[in-house]
Amino acid sequence: MRILVVEDDTELNRQLKEELEDNGYVVDCAFDGEEGHFLGDTEPYDAVVLDIGLPNMDGISVLEAWRRNGRTMPVLILTARDRWSDKVQGIDAGADDYVAKPFHIEEVVARLRALVRRSVGLASNEITCGPVRLDARSGRVTVDGQTMKLTSHEYRLLSYLMHHQGKIISRTELVEHLYDQDFDRDSNTIEVFIGRLRKKLGVDVIQTVRGLGYNMVAPSKS
């Protein structure tokens, strides 16, 4: 999953980026409202962490502009503890949740995880596809109860497919959601990771739809 963090406090921005990356997310960072607005308007993020008090363009204006332009990704706003009005404004502008400063980074990660989960219609952190089970909270993947050892790229790929199982996902979409904006994107590498995943999982859950992409479906029961 690909996350945008828009926060002008450089240290907090760094802490959020590191914690999110440690939890398996791909993270892009912006440090003012104009840059954040541009990235959120042009890149396909799965969720956004958006500070309200930003230079150049405040967070509420950024959020309102995204929603006017039809950008529907979940947005978690960061507010000052004593500014209840920020929370009301943020929710009215289209925010999906909020966290008041100061906060524990783990709370932001947990709330983002819930927003991403709900955005694709999932109720639990544990996602299953046939014998494959992925725990988004712990990052643990099992097949028939046996733990799989995956690289960070393999895990992100599997996670995205499992969050969107039953839907055909193109290689372009996978590249856009698995790599940050500075990565030298090559859609051919997706085929390599798909091959590795199939070999490690050992079950036929990732189908190739010729000319369109990939589809993750539970194997049919004979």
Side-chain angles (χ1 to χ4, degrees):
M1 296 294 172
R2 189 174 171 200
I3 307 294
L4 173 63
V5 174
V6 190
E7 167 62 61
D8 62 315
D9 183 321
T10 55
E11 178 59 20
L12 179 56
N13 195 311
R14 182 192 64 78
Q15 291 175 3
L16 286 166
K17 176 180 172 65
E18 289 184 356
E19 186 68 23
L20 288 166
E21 288 178 339
D22 285 346
N23 280 268
Y25 295 99
V26 175
V27 184
D28 289 334
C29 296
F31 298 88
D32 64 64
E34 288 183 354
E35 182 186 14
H37 170 258
F38 174 77
L39 289 175
D41 214 33
T42 56
E43 296 287 336
Y45 294 105
D46 295 291
V48 178
V49 179
L50 177 66
D51 186 31
I52 294 299
L54 294 169
N56 299 334
M57 185 178 184
D58 69 85
I60 297 296
S61 298
V62 170
L63 181 53
E64 289 175 338
W66 284 339
R67 296 314 193 211
R68 282 197 304 270
N69 290 340
R71 305 296 288 172
T72 60
M73 65 281 195
V75 175
L76 173 70
I77 58 172
L78 306 179
T79 72
R81 172 178 288 180
D82 57 348
R83 292 293 298 276
W84 63 266
S85 58
D86 284 350
K87 302 171 187 176
V88 174
Q89 277 187 296
I91 298 298
D92 285 345
D96 299 273
D97 200 357
Y98 65 84
V99 175
K101 296 179 179 179
F103 52 76
H104 292 287
I105 301 292
E106 293 81 4
E107 180 183 1
V108 174
V109 175
R111 288 182 179 274
L112 271 181
R113 193 161 47 229
L115 289 179
V116 170
R117 188 177 69 233
R118 291 198 296 266
S119 72
V120 294
L122 297 173
S124 171
N125 279 314
E126 291 193 353
I127 310 168
T128 60
C129 183
V132 182
R133 181 182 297 270
L134 183 148
D135 187 330
R137 181 171 49 194
S138 67
R140 184 168 180 256
V141 176
T142 60
V143 177
D144 287 326
Q146 297 297 310
T147 300
M148 297 290 104
K149 292 184 178 180
L150 304 179
T151 67
S152 60
H153 281 85
E154 291 165 353
Y155 175 81
R156 289 199 295 263
L157 174 58
L158 179 64
S159 177
Y160 194 83
L161 290 172
M162 291 194 70
H163 274 83
H164 298 85
Q165 59 185 286
K167 173 186 174 184
I168 297 174
I169 308 295
S170 69
R171 286 192 297 175
T172 299
E173 180 176 345
L174 287 171
V175 169
E176 289 176 339
H177 287 265
L178 297 179
Y179 302 117
D180 61 41
Q181 61 175 338
D182 297 324
F183 192 87
D184 184 14
R185 301 173 182 177
D186 180 2
S187 63
N188 291 324
T189 61
I190 295 298
E191 293 183 9
V192 175
F193 289 123
I194 289 287
R196 290 180 183 174
L197 264 181
R198 283 172 170 158
K199 185 176 182 179
K200 287 187 176 182
L201 296 177
V203 289
D204 186 22
V205 291
I206 304 176
Q207 298 180 350
T208 298
V209 183
R210 189 172 297 276
L212 295 177
Y214 303 98
N215 184 18
M216 189 155 191
V217 293
S220 57
K221 297 180 179 179
S222 56

